[in-house]
């Protein structure tokens, strides 16, 4: 899908266009080969640049070709998986051309949708270098937002685990831990790319752009620190609850073993008195059955008291 937008000088509002003009923003989402060929012919950008972000495993990097600058960064996404919200990252290609700005991504991102819906103020499609930095700042902000959501979600799951130890909660914690690993890898790759952007001539021309980029780098570093902190906390929580589950299992096994011991006593006694041979004690006694029953109950009670003192029952 190809969408073309441009900020009009008269109203400073973003308007959708049908054709490519100078100073416009071309947003491409999950494009077909025909879409890429069309944009390549009209913008002069190579197909390699346009296809770079269509590989899910593409790493964050900067590349140049002729007068075109390619910036690939990993952006955060939320997805529904088995009735649970999970987090992942996908590459976004931002291409700075001589006349336009092009963004390419496999999925429709909230980050770019915010610009289209007018949630980001004071941005202009014809200020291409500034627009790139605003996108990068928005990406860092969304990373921080999703990290806070992960933290709150992990706290909610922990509270559920205090009440009941179920596999569902452990799988959700494992999913969050996996999301943090993805975020950590993406943020560290983005950090290297952002550091390289400080040396670009495009940004060195405008001191204000350098200030914005430095803010983006600070936000990205903060996101990396938060990711490491939450990952350590979540890892410690998983280990703690795994120990609790193992301890609970040991307690249950000890209890069942104690019950087995106590239940074995009546079986032994009644099995012995049930033998059809002469000379069985209390065989001729009128209340022999109840006497044996009382002796068995007494032995069981003594055994239970002993096991309780040893914390085995």
């Amino acid at each position: 899908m190809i969408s073309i937008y441009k900020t009009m000088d008269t109203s400073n509002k973003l308007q959708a266009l049908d054709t490519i003009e100078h100073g416009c923003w071309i947003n491409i989402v999950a494009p077909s080969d025909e879409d890429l060929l069309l944009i390549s012919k009209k913008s002069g950008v190579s197909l390699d640049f346009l296809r770079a972000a269509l590989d899910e495993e593409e790493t964050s990097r900067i590349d140049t070709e002729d007068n075109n600058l390619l910036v690939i960064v990993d952006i955060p996404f939320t997805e529904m998986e088995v009735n649970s919200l999970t987090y992942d990252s996908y590459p976004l290609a931002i291409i700075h051309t001589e006349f336009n700005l092009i963004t390419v991504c496999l999925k429709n991102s909230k980050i770019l949708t915010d610009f289209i819906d007018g949630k980001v103020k004071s941005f202009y499609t014809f200020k291409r270098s500034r627009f790139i930095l605003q996108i990068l700042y928005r990406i860092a902000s969304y990373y921080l937002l999703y990290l806070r959501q992960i933290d709150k979600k992990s706290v909610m799951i922990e509270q559920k685990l205090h009440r009941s130890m179920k596999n569902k909660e452990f799988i959700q914690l494992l999913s969050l831990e996996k999301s943090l690993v993805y975020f950590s890898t993406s943020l560290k790759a983005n950090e290297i790319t952002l550091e390289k952007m400080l040396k670009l001539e495009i940004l060195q021309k405008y001191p204000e752009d350098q200030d914005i980029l430095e803010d983006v780098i600070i936000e990205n570093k903060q996101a990396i620190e938060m990711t490491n902190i939450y990952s350590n906390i979540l890892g410690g929580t998983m280990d703690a609850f795994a120990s609790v589950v193992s301890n609970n299992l040991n307690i249950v096994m000890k209890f069942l073993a104690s019950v087995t011991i106590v239940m074995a006593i009546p079986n032994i006694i009644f099995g012995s008195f049930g033998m059809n041979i002469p000379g069985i004690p209390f065989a001729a006694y009128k209340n022999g059955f109840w006497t044996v029953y009382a002796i068995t109950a007494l032995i069981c009670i003594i055994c239970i008291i002993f096991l309780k003192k040893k914390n085995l029952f």
Side-chain angles (χ1 to χ4, degrees):
M1 182 181 70
I2 302 173
S3 303
I4 305 171
Y5 304 96
K6 186 177 182 180
T7 306
M8 298 302 173
D9 296 333
T10 54
S11 60
N12 289 333
K13 289 184 178 181
L14 194 68
Q15 293 186 5
L17 302 178
D18 295 327
T19 57
I20 297 175
E21 299 180 3
H22 285 190
C24 71
W25 165 34
I26 307 169
N27 184 34
I28 307 173
V29 179
S32 62
D33 291 338
E34 291 77 10
D35 293 336
L36 295 178
L37 284 171
L38 176 64
I39 296 299
S40 178
K41 289 179 180 179
K42 291 192 174 183
S43 63
V45 178
S46 67
L47 285 173
D48 290 338
F49 271 25
L50 293 172
R51 288 174 177 158
L54 301 182
D55 181 8
E56 293 184 10
E57 305 301 324
E58 186 71 32
T59 58
S60 180
R61 61 185 174 89
I62 294 177
D63 199 358
T64 55
E65 186 180 86
D66 298 331
N67 293 325
N68 301 324
L69 170 68
L70 170 66
V71 179
I72 296 180
V73 288
D74 291 326
I75 61 176
F77 276 90
T78 57
E79 297 176 339
M80 287 300 297
E81 185 178 296
V82 194
N83 297 325
S84 177
L85 191 66
T86 59
Y87 301 85
D88 203 346
S89 60
Y90 288 88
L92 168 69
I94 307 172
I95 305 171
H96 182 288
T97 70
E98 189 176 357
F99 303 108
N100 308 109
L101 188 78
I102 304 172
T103 55
V104 186
C105 191
L106 278 170
K107 296 186 177 183
N108 194 22
S109 170
K110 290 182 180 179
I111 295 166
L112 299 179
T113 304
D114 287 348
F115 287 93
I116 298 171
D117 295 340
K119 295 181 180 179
V120 181
K121 305 299 181 183
S122 302
F123 93 93
Y124 305 93
T125 57
F126 52 84
K127 293 184 178 181
R128 297 182 298 282
S129 58
R130 177 72 58 85
F131 189 14
I132 292 175
L133 295 175
Q134 288 175 315
I135 293 174
L136 295 175
Y137 191 86
R138 200 72 181 173
I139 291 170
S141 300
Y142 264 92
Y143 268 116
L144 292 172
L145 174 64
Y146 290 157
L147 285 169
R148 294 188 189 98
Q149 290 181 2
I150 290 173
D151 183 47
K152 290 179 180 178
K153 193 172 181 180
S154 64
V155 171
M156 291 173 60
I157 296 172
E158 287 175 31
Q159 292 174 350
K160 291 181 181 179
L161 280 171
H162 283 297
R163 295 190 295 270
S164 63
M165 299 282 181
K166 293 183 179 179
N167 289 337
K168 179 182 176 182
E169 281 74 21
F170 280 105
I171 292 171
Q172 287 177 343
L173 282 179
L174 183 62
S175 177
L176 292 180
E177 191 173 25
K178 186 171 68 174
S179 298
L180 287 173
V181 172
Y182 291 151
F183 275 15
S184 178
T185 304
S186 299
L187 286 166
K188 288 177 181 177
N190 287 353
E191 183 182 27
I192 297 172
T193 301
L194 293 173
E195 295 288 349
K196 290 180 179 178
M197 288 185 68
L198 284 171
K199 303 175 183 178
L200 293 176
E201 294 181 2
I202 298 174
L203 300 178
Q204 290 178 352
K205 295 179 182 178
Y206 308 101
E208 292 181 2
D209 290 351
Q210 280 192 320
D211 293 338
I212 296 174
L213 180 56
E214 288 173 0
D215 291 339
V216 174
I217 292 172
I218 292 171
E219 291 284 305
N220 193 78
K221 287 182 177 179
Q222 183 182 350
I224 292 173
E225 291 176 1
M226 287 177 64
T227 304
N228 293 333
I229 292 170
Y230 293 156
S231 184
N232 292 334
I233 293 173
L234 201 55
T237 302
M238 291 281 287
D239 293 339
F241 278 108
S243 299
V244 170
V245 171
S246 178
N247 186 53
N248 289 344
L249 179 62
N250 290 336
I251 292 172
V252 172
M253 293 304 295
K254 284 195 300 182
F255 176 77
L256 293 176
S258 301
V259 170
T260 303
I261 293 171
V262 174
M263 293 297 293
I265 295 172
N267 288 331
I268 294 171
I269 296 174
F270 293 145
S272 299
F273 276 87
M275 294 181 185
N276 190 19
I277 57 174
I280 297 295
F282 307 110
Y285 185 55
K286 182 176 64 174
N287 295 321
F289 173 79
W290 297 110
T291 303
V292 173
Y293 200 91
I295 293 171
T296 304
L298 181 62
I299 294 173
C300 289
I301 291 171
I302 294 171
C303 183
I304 291 172
I305 293 172
F306 175 79
L307 292 173
K308 278 191 173 182
K309 286 184 177 180
K310 296 294 182 180
N311 292 324
L312 296 173
F313 203 92

